[in-house]
Amino acid sequence: MSDQANRFLGDSIGRTVIKLIVVSLIVGFVMTVFGLTPWNIIYGFRDFILEIWHRGFSALGRVGDYLLLGATIVIPLFVILRLFSYRR
């Protein structure tokens, strides 16, 4: 059992725990320096997803506007060209 745990962790359990503690202290210090908290990261990710969601639908609304604006020119020209080519 211990051999499987060592293989999974990449080292002995004690050394892995010490490494994790040291890395956690370093990451915690760096996050404190930059004023980050776990909640800031979670809320930031959530706000990022919501912003993409809202901008995506507003972009689709603009695409619809572009489609209607272009159709006001393209459809009449298409009908006129088809009428002229039909006579031939």
Side-chain angles (χ1 to χ4, degrees), residues 31-81:
M31 287 177 65
T32 302
V33 167
F34 288 111
L36 294 174
T37 64
W39 290 114
N40 287 346
I41 294 170
I42 292 169
Y43 290 142
F45 181 73
R46 183 199 64 182
D47 293 341
F48 174 72
I49 297 298
L50 288 174
E51 188 68 23
I52 288 174
W53 181 268
H54 293 301
R55 287 186 186 266
F57 282 116
S58 68
L60 289 177
R62 284 188 300 241
V63 169
D65 293 341
Y66 297 153
L67 179 66
L68 288 175
L69 185 61
T72 59
I73 302 297
V74 171
I75 300 298
L77 284 175
F78 174 77
V79 171
I80 291 169
L81 290 172

